[in-house]
Amino acid sequence: MVHPPLQSESALLARACGGDLDAYEQLVRLHQQIAFRTALVLARNAADAEEAAQDAFVKAWRALRRFDSSRPFRPWLLAIVANEARNRRRAAGRREALVLRAAAASPGGPADSSGAGAASPELALLVAERHGALVAALERLDERDRQVIACRYLLELTEAETAAALGCRAGTVKSRLSRALERLRAQAGSEVLHA
């Protein structure tokens, strides 16, 4: 089977804006990983993230005719993904609250299952402690701080893409990130972040 030559994103976008579904499918393939990762950071659940990304791609297709082609596509798309993911996160929070209320009404709890393996026990313990402390510190941050750190450092989004995903200005990303990192340092302790 002979595949057509790859086209630039701008050419695909122009075709997709004209209603070419094949071109849009190629755009989806180009951006599906970052869309899923962005949704995962915000939804904090793989199943919800997958659904949020899929719904976002459908909504983006429907809104494509209104897209301003003088602006970059990826931040616009990630803003839609982020909105869908935040909606799913809110819905999940409501579901969790119902489950907690139901669990409080009946005795018993979930079983604990954990296990880990490591090649070097000393190194594995040190890495696990540092990783655990950092993850715990991230979890203690509020949602806004956790999201800006995750977008910039875990997803490696640009400031503009982070701004689009979080629905704020690029300058706000800088200031929010600075404050979030200070709070993370305070939560995790300097030995974790500077080791």
Side-chain angles (χ1 to χ4, degrees):
M1 175 179 204
V2 177
H3 293 286
L6 294 176
Q7 293 186 355
S8 71
E9 181 176 298
S10 58
L12 288 172
L13 188 54
R15 287 181 41 217
C17 284
D20 186 335
L21 186 57
D22 289 333
Y24 187 70
E25 287 174 357
Q26 290 180 49
L27 284 172
V28 168
R29 283 193 292 277
L30 285 173
H31 297 286
Q32 65 189 10
Q33 286 184 348
I34 192 66
F36 172 76
R37 289 174 35 215
T38 300
L40 185 58
V41 163
L42 299 172
R44 301 179 71 200
N45 172 292
D48 286 344
E50 188 173 322
E51 288 180 18
Q54 288 175 358
D55 287 351
F57 280 121
V58 170
K59 285 186 177 184
W61 169 251
R62 290 179 182 150
L64 201 54
R65 294 193 196 285
R66 295 187 311 265
F67 172 68
D68 179 0
S69 60
S70 69
R71 302 182 70 104
F73 177 71
R74 186 165 126 158
W76 177 79
L77 174 65
L78 292 180
I80 296 170
V81 170
N83 193 37
E84 287 298 310
R86 281 191 291 270
N87 289 343
R88 293 204 182 276
R89 175 79 178 144
R90 282 191 288 274
R94 290 188 296 269
R95 286 191 305 270
E96 288 172 14
L98 286 172
V99 169
L100 289 175
R101 283 198 304 264
S106 65
D112 182 14
S113 62
S114 62
S120 163
E122 295 83 12
L123 180 59
L125 180 61
L126 182 60
V127 168
E129 284 176 358
R130 286 184 176 165
H131 180 264
L134 187 57
V135 168
L138 271 169
E139 286 297 318
R140 286 191 300 268
L141 293 177
D142 71 24
E143 190 73 17
R144 287 172 48 134
D145 288 346
R146 196 170 35 250
Q147 287 177 358
V148 74
I149 289 171
C151 285
R152 283 294 286 139
Y153 295 111
L154 301 179
L155 297 176
E156 299 176 351
L157 299 181
T158 66
E159 283 179 9
E161 292 166 339
T162 300
L166 298 179
C168 62
R169 294 187 174 140
T172 303
V173 168
K174 284 184 181 184
S175 60
R176 193 182 291 179
L177 185 61
S178 176
R179 289 189 300 270
L181 288 173
E182 283 301 315
R183 287 189 276 269
L184 181 62
R185 283 185 193 98
Q187 289 283 346
S190 60
E191 70 279 353
V192 173
L193 293 177
H194 296 110

